[in-house]
């Protein structure tokens, strides 16, 4: 069982930046971020594979492409989400997710482990 602990959420003005972190208690193949806005379904944000083995190392939802960057430190079993040019519509609870499935993509059911979520609020 892998535990995921997120940090880095908060309140920021539109156009600002935040960096989320997620530390895993064990090794994982794919780590990702999802988010859930009030009264909306949880949605995929970004995911990243362990480097050096596959193409499509990282990918993003269209809504965040060019503004968010996902990265990972395998030595620390940690994934990061750098969020720039934040918009009010980015306001949501952000969840870290992980799996040992090397081909996991954008679907919630592909991920076995979930963090508790961290709130990101972007004011206009």
């Amino acid at each position: 069982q892998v535990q995921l602990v997120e940090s880095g959420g908060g309140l920021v003005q539109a156009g600002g930046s935040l960096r989320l972190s997620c530390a895993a208690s064990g090794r994982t193949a794919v780590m990702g971020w999802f988010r859930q806005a009030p009264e909306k379904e949880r949605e995929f944000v970004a995911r990243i594979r362990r480097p050096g083995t596959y193409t499509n190392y990282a990918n993003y939802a269209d809504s965040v492409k060019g503004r968010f960057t996902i990265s990972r430190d395998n030595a620390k079993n940690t994934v990061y989400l750098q969020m720039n040019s934040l918009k009010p519509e980015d306001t949501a609870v952000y969840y870290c997710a992980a799996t040992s499935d090397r081909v996991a993509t954008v679907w919630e059911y592909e991920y076995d482990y979930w963090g508790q979520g961290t709130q990101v609020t972007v004011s206009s």
Side-chain angles (χ1 to χ4, degrees):
Q1 187 78 5
V2 175
Q3 307 294 324
L4 302 176
V5 179
E6 300 132 333
S7 60
L11 173 64
V12 65
Q13 288 188 328
S17 299
L18 282 174
R19 190 174 86 150
L20 305 182
S21 300
C22 172
S25 61
R27 179 174 166 144
T28 59
V30 177
M31 299 186 78
W33 292 94
F34 290 75
R35 67 185 181 186
Q36 187 168 20
E39 301 181 359
K40 291 189 175 181
E41 297 290 318
R42 189 155 58 182
E43 64 177 5
F44 168 78
V45 175
R47 74 102 163 94
I48 188 167
R49 288 170 162 163
R50 292 185 70 82
T53 306
Y54 299 96
T55 57
N56 298 323
Y57 173 54
N59 68 316
Y60 302 88
D62 288 343
S63 59
V64 306
K65 202 171 293 183
R67 300 188 297 122
F68 291 11
T69 302
I70 189 170
S71 61
R72 64 189 291 170
D73 184 334
N74 291 317
K76 297 181 179 180
N77 292 324
T78 299
V79 65
Y80 306 96
L81 186 68
Q82 177 66 43
M83 305 184 294
N84 298 329
S85 302
L86 282 161
K87 304 175 181 180
E89 50 264 45
D90 294 318
T91 295
V93 177
Y94 284 69
Y95 295 91
C96 177
T99 177
S100 56
D101 180 355
R102 298 179 180 180
V103 297
T105 58
V106 305
W107 306 107
E108 290 185 53
Y109 69 83
E110 296 177 300
Y111 293 81
D112 302 309
Y113 311 109
W114 291 83
Q116 78 284 358
T118 185
Q119 178 70 47
V120 171
T121 303
V122 184
S123 63
S124 57

